[in-house]
């Protein structure tokens, strides 16, 4: 959708809009952090985001990557910066075609800064001279497909000889085909409002969105305000606290709130925030100005964020397995011609991109993965990582690109229990029986509806534990499961070729929508990826190290199982299946608090409690230098101090 259409709709509805700008980072970790931030900030409800091209025309591939992910994965309208600097028309053509390919329909057309190492701007060979030339070129080559924005300067461009000349150049850009204007940052609101009046008088009538920069630090504030006027009240407020970074940021929020309110009261259609890839200040400004509340998040039309890829506009069904690796799912299904394309009724359909071609990647580089996940030396170290993920102490796992889903908070304590016991969970959802579609946690879809979901749990277990669970599930006729190992040894109690809807919604004047499913061919494709992630994780460590051999053996030995409780009225979901394990965990509280009938506990130098309980745990035993030699149900698992503390804190 074009940004100009969003602006027009917002104006018709009498509501202001807001948007964010990000720049493409230089490092791999910076890119990871940016994707995380964009995903989080999308839930604040921006009308659009824009992505800079890179200083001097550098890193165009990084810009395209961020734009593509924002459109396809995060489902937010994106505006791609495009500049003339170091960009001959063949590169401009390539960038525009790539933008169209990922569903992007908005361009911010800019001349750009001088190339690196040069003080004056000159056009490159085969390139364009001015932003107005770029606007005309886009219209000539792509017609009306793109919505085009251009830059405006409330205090004139530094190279313009006069304000009148600057207005003339701005009007040339609009007359060439621009739809809207986004201004350079400023701090003098009355001056901006006066400038807007001059634009209107000069015949510039398109929407003008003011650009606001939250003050993040004193040094960057001084650098970015060298050529613009700053009201005295801001200077008086920041100088006394310039050496206190926290105070400067707090003052910056106050300034941002005041500017936002004054701009909206002055008739601005919205605010464009220059985030500098930072989140907190912008969010606090939006809250303080009343544009969002502390619990106000954008409403989803599906349980997952819909993609803005043009060919996915009718996509209405996704398998649950990739809930925590959305980018991977989008990539592996990118060659589909339509969605869902009838693929959920025939398990023989070759639906997913081949892993040999597509590849499986961790979110982090090798060094970053080790820094984030440490160096596990035995299976209990791995269990602890899963526990820490559920507790929010680490942000990701190889199978989860983001933090624990908000809805999983309802079952967080149970997940902590299970991972403490050695069930390594990677995906879950609680049962929901008729939550309103506008519910802040579970809601999705049109207003006035109700949403439902079956309890779902997915985790890694040993072969012996799998057999035990299969026996237990005979007592639960509403439970269905699929389990497989890396070699494809499938165990199931259902006809997996038929999809099982685990999320659905009932809405006024619509058929029942069933957007999330469990289905065998999808699970088979997902298991290849899930076990390949064990391999990728292990390869972060040098050959012949304990960590590498441990993780490799786990990937070779474990089974991946998913369980659905088809009775969505059952609040306990799938957790009744683990009652024996929870009882054993309760018994550990007795171990942690010795009585006259129990031997006292001691702690070894590794921080492990020297004591055992009699109830078997669903665990992995480790023999010989911390390397997994066998996967079995242990008759007694030595609990860490941390695990015992968790057991004491969690009611079962």
């Amino acid at each position: 959708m074009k940004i100009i259409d969003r602006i027009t709709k917002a104006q018709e509805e009498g509501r202001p809009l807001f948007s964010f700008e990000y720049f493409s980072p230089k490092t791999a970790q910076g890119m990871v952090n940016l994707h995380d931030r964009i995903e989080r900030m999308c839930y604040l409800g921006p009308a659009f985001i824009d992505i800079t091209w890179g200083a001097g025309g550098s890193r165009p591939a990084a810009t395209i990557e961020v734009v593509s992910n924002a459109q396809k994965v995060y489902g937010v309208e994106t505006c791609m910066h495009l500049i003339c600097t170091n960009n001959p028309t063949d590169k401009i053509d390539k960038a525009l075609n790539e933008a169209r390919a990922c569903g992007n329909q908005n361009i911010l057309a800019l001349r750009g800064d001088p190339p690196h190492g040069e003080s004056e701007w000159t056009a490159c060979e085969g390139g364009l001279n001015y932003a107005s030339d770029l606007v005309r070129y886009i219209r000539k080559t792509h017609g009306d497909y793109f919505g085009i924005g251009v830059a405006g300067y409330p205090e004139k461009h530094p190279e313009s000889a006069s304000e009148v000349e600057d207005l003339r150049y701005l009007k040339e850009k609009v007359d060439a085909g621009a739809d809207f204007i986004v201004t350079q940052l400023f701090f003098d609101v009355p001056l901006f409002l006066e400038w807007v009046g001059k634009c209107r008088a000069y015949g510039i009538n398109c929407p003008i969105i003011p650009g606001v920069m939250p003050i993040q630090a004193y040094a960057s504030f001084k650098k970015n305000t060298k050529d613009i006027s700053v009201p005295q009240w801001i200077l008086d407020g920041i100088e006394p606290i310039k050496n206190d970074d926290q105070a400067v940021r707090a003052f910056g929020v106050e300034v941002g709130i005041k500017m936002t309110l004054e701009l909206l009261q002055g008739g601005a259609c919205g605010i464009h925030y220059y985030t500098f890839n930072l989140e907190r200040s912008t969010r606090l400004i939006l809250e303080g100005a009343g544009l969002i509340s502390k619990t106000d998040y954008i409403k989803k039309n599906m349980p997952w964020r819909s993609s803005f890829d043009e060919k996915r506009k009718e996509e209405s069904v996704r398998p649950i397995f990739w809930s925590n690796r959305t980018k991977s799912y989008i990539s592996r299904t990118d060659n589909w011609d339509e969605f869902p394309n009838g693929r959920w009724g025939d398990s023989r359909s070759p639906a997913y991109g081949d892993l040999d071609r597509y590849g499986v990647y961790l979110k982090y580089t090798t060094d970053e993965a080790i820094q984030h996940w440490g160096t596990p030396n035995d299976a209990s170290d791995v269990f602890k990582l899963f526990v820490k993920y559920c507790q929010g102490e680490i942000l990701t796992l190889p199978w989860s690109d983001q933090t624990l889903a908000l809805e999983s908070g309802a079952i967080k304590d149970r997940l902590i229990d299970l991972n403490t016991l050695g069930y390594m969970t990677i995906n879950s959802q609680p049962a929901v029986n008729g939550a309103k579609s506008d519910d802040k946690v579970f809601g999705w879809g049109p207003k006035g509806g109700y949403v439902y979901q079956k309890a779902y749990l997915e985790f890694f277990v040993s072969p012996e534990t799998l057999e035990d669970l299969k026996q237990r599930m005979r007592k639960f006729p509403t439970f269905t499961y699929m389990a497989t190992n890396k070699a494809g040894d499938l165990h199931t109690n259902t006809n997996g070729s038929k999809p099982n809807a685990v999320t659905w919604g009932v809405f006024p004047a619509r058929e029942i929508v069933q957007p999330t499913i469990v289905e065998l061919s999808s699970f088979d494709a997902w298991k290849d990826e899930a076990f390949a992630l064990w391999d990728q994780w292990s390869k972060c460590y040098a050959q012949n190290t304990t960590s590498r051999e441990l993780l490799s053996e786990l990937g070779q030995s474990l089974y991946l199982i998913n369980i659905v409780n088809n009775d969505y009225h059952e609040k306990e979901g799938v957790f009744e299946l683990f009652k024996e394990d929870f009882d054993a965990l309760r018994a550990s509280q007795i171990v942690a608090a010795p009585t006259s009938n129990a031997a006292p506990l001691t702690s070894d130098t590794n921080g492990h409690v020297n004591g055992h309980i009699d109830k078997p745990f669903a665990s992995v035993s480790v023999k010989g230098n911390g390397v997994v030699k066998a996967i079995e149900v242990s008759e007694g698992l030595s609990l860490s101090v941390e695990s015992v503390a968790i057991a004491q804190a969690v009611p079962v």
Side-chain angles (χ1 to χ4, degrees):
M1 185 177 185
K2 294 181 182 178
I3 290 170
I4 184 60
D5 295 332
R6 288 181 174 269
I7 295 172
T8 301
K9 183 178 179 181
Q11 289 176 325
E12 290 173 351
E13 296 173 354
R15 57 177 175 83
L17 51 79
F18 58 87
S19 53
F20 306 138
E21 178 173 294
Y22 305 95
F23 63 86
S24 54
K26 297 179 181 179
T27 66
Q29 184 57 50
M31 187 67 78
V32 168
N33 294 340
L34 177 59
H35 286 312
D36 286 347
R37 189 152 289 137
I38 291 175
E39 183 173 18
R40 287 196 305 270
M41 294 182 73
C42 282
Y43 285 96
L44 299 174
F48 66 92
I49 65 173
D50 71 17
I51 312 298
T52 66
W53 187 255
S58 62
R59 305 190 310 280
T63 298
I64 294 294
E65 178 186 344
V66 178
V67 169
S68 179
N69 282 332
Q71 289 282 142
K72 292 183 176 182
V73 181
Y74 308 131
V76 61
E77 204 67 68
T78 307
C79 181
M80 185 181 77
H81 287 209
L82 189 58
I83 63 176
C84 300
T85 305
N86 289 335
N87 255 354
T89 53
D90 60 333
K91 289 187 177 180
I92 291 173
D93 290 337
K94 182 174 184 292
L96 291 171
N97 290 334
E98 288 176 338
R100 288 191 69 154
C102 69
N104 180 51
Q105 205 172 355
N106 296 283
I107 301 293
L108 191 66
L110 308 165
R111 188 200 69 176
D113 297 325
H116 289 303
E118 299 183 22
S119 58
E120 296 185 2
W121 195 91
T122 55
C124 66
E125 184 177 352
L128 304 172
N129 287 292
Y130 304 107
S132 56
D133 296 331
L134 180 55
V135 174
R136 276 188 286 269
Y137 186 81
I138 295 171
R139 289 290 179 229
K140 176 183 176 182
T141 56
H142 291 269
D144 195 43
Y145 174 82
F146 288 107
I148 303 176
V150 293
Y153 296 82
E155 299 179 59
K156 82 176 184 62
H157 192 282
E159 297 177 19
S160 293
S162 67
E163 185 178 61
V164 172
E165 181 181 82
D166 200 61
L167 288 173
R168 177 166 60 83
Y169 289 147
L170 181 58
K171 191 172 189 303
E172 282 185 15
K173 291 188 284 189
V174 175
D175 290 346
D179 299 307
F180 62 94
I181 297 166
V182 178
T183 77
Q184 179 59 277
L185 65 90
F186 63 90
F187 284 93
D188 193 330
V189 174
L191 184 148
F192 164 81
L193 296 175
E194 181 182 353
W195 174 77
V196 171
K198 293 176 181 178
C199 288
R200 302 311 186 207
Y202 203 84
I204 301 171
N205 298 311
C206 67
I208 299 175
I209 307 175
V212 172
M213 181 194 78
I215 301 173
Q216 307 283 0
Y218 180 79
S220 61
F221 167 75
K222 295 298 288 185
K223 177 183 177 181
N224 287 298
T225 56
K226 286 189 300 184
D227 299 319
I228 62 174
S229 62
V230 179
Q232 191 62 42
W233 69 271
I234 296 179
L235 296 175
D236 292 342
I238 199 170
E239 284 297 327
I241 59 173
K242 62 182 180 182
N243 295 319
D244 186 336
D245 290 344
Q246 185 174 351
V248 168
R249 286 192 293 271
F251 179 68
V253 170
E254 294 179 17
V255 172
I257 293 171
K258 188 175 189 298
M259 289 184 64
T260 296
L261 292 174
E262 290 180 356
L263 287 166
L264 295 178
Q265 290 167 2
C269 62
I271 312 292
H272 187 64
Y273 293 97
Y274 294 102
T275 70
F276 287 87
N277 291 8
L278 299 173
E279 174 184 358
R280 187 173 185 274
S281 292
T282 302
R283 176 174 53 80
L284 292 175
I285 290 169
L286 291 171
E287 290 175 2
L291 294 180
I292 64 170
S293 72
K294 292 183 179 180
T295 58
D296 189 18
Y297 291 95
I298 188 170
K299 185 169 171 49
K300 299 179 291 185
N301 63 352
M302 288 289 178
W304 27 268
R305 290 189 66 86
S306 298
S307 173
F308 278 10
D309 189 340
E310 180 66 21
K311 66 181 181 181
R312 290 182 181 268
K313 63 182 180 180
E314 301 299 329
E315 183 179 22
S316 60
V317 181
R318 286 185 186 177
I320 196 172
F321 312 118
W322 283 271
S323 295
N324 298 319
R325 282 178 62 87
T326 308
K327 183 179 177 182
S328 172
Y329 178 77
I330 296 294
S331 297
R332 294 189 67 181
T333 59
D334 198 45
N335 63 344
W336 289 13
D337 51 356
E338 59 179 301
F339 300 84
N341 201 20
R343 298 178 188 273
W344 313 120
D346 186 353
S347 62
R348 296 169 296 177
S349 297
Y352 296 95
D354 183 70
L355 282 183
D356 290 337
R357 178 187 62 82
Y358 160 74
V360 175
Y361 303 100
L362 296 176
K363 185 171 184 175
Y364 302 112
T365 64
T366 294
D367 291 340
E368 292 158 355
I370 294 174
Q371 182 180 10
H372 194 70
W373 298 318
T375 54
N377 291 314
D378 57 36
S380 66
D381 288 341
V382 179
F383 301 164
K384 289 177 188 177
L385 280 174
F386 280 80
V387 170
K388 287 180 178 180
Y389 173 74
C390 294
Q391 292 173 321
E393 294 182 23
I394 60 173
L395 301 179
T396 66
L397 289 171
W399 303 268
S400 301
D401 284 346
Q402 60 272 326
T403 56
L404 195 67
L406 187 63
E407 67 172 7
S408 291
I411 54 175
K412 178 180 176 181
D413 289 346
R414 289 302 201 191
L415 294 176
I416 291 172
D417 285 354
L418 285 174
N419 285 286
T420 301
L421 293 163
Y423 297 99
M424 292 169 277
T425 64
I426 62 172
N427 199 353
S428 61
Q429 71 176 29
V432 175
N433 183 17
K436 290 187 176 181
S437 59
D438 59 0
D439 184 274
K440 296 296 184 183
V441 176
F442 303 109
W444 56 272
K447 185 178 180 180
Y450 290 87
V451 298
Y452 303 80
Q453 59 190 41
K454 300 172 183 177
Y456 176 84
L457 187 66
E458 184 179 345
F459 52 96
F460 290 103
V461 291
S462 68
E464 289 79 9
T465 301
L466 173 62
E467 291 303 317
D468 180 48
L469 290 175
K470 287 166 60 179
Q471 293 300 316
R472 296 188 204 178
M473 276 189 280
R474 293 181 178 181
K475 301 177 183 178
F476 299 92
T478 63
F479 285 24
T480 52
Y481 71 89
M482 301 175 189
T484 186
N485 62 3
K486 185 176 183 179
D489 178 30
L490 178 67
H491 300 245
T492 183
N493 65 347
T494 183
N495 181 359
S497 64
K498 295 182 178 179
N500 181 5
V502 292
T503 305
W504 64 99
V506 181
F507 307 102
R510 292 187 61 179
E511 294 182 351
I512 293 176
V513 182
Q514 302 177 69
T516 314
I517 62 166
V518 170
E519 182 260 349
L520 184 57
S521 64
S522 300
F523 183 57
D524 186 56
W526 164 242
K527 73 78 177 162
D528 291 339
E529 184 169 332
F531 284 103
L533 287 167
W534 281 108
D535 292 337
Q536 290 297 314
W537 186 11
S538 73
K539 290 176 182 177
C540 293
Y541 305 92
Q543 289 187 357
N544 301 320
T545 59
T546 298
S547 294
R548 181 161 183 161
E549 293 186 21
L550 167 70
L551 297 172
S552 177
E553 184 64 27
L554 286 173
Q556 293 290 334
S557 306
L558 296 176
Y559 275 74
L560 178 64
I561 181 172
N562 69 73
I563 302 174
V564 178
N565 184 352
N566 293 282
D567 184 357
Y568 58 91
H569 294 87
E570 177 53 60
K571 293 182 179 180
E572 187 66 9
V574 300
F575 296 114
E576 186 66 22
L577 181 67
F578 304 95
K579 185 178 183 303
E580 295 179 18
D581 304 288
F582 294 147
D583 288 344
L585 192 56
R586 180 189 294 274
S588 71
Q589 295 177 324
I590 300 174
V591 178
T595 66
S596 58
N597 296 324
L601 296 176
T602 60
S603 178
D604 62 23
T605 57
N606 293 320
H608 288 85
V609 176
N610 294 322
H612 296 81
I613 63 174
D614 294 331
K615 192 68 179 177
F617 277 74
S619 65
V620 182
S621 68
V622 183
K623 301 176 181 179
N625 299 320
V627 179
V628 174
K629 301 298 183 183
I631 306 293
E632 60 188 30
V633 177
S634 175
E635 289 300 323
L637 177 66
S638 178
L639 294 178
S640 69
V641 173
E642 175 188 359
S643 298
V644 172
I646 293 170
Q648 289 176 310
V650 179
V652 292

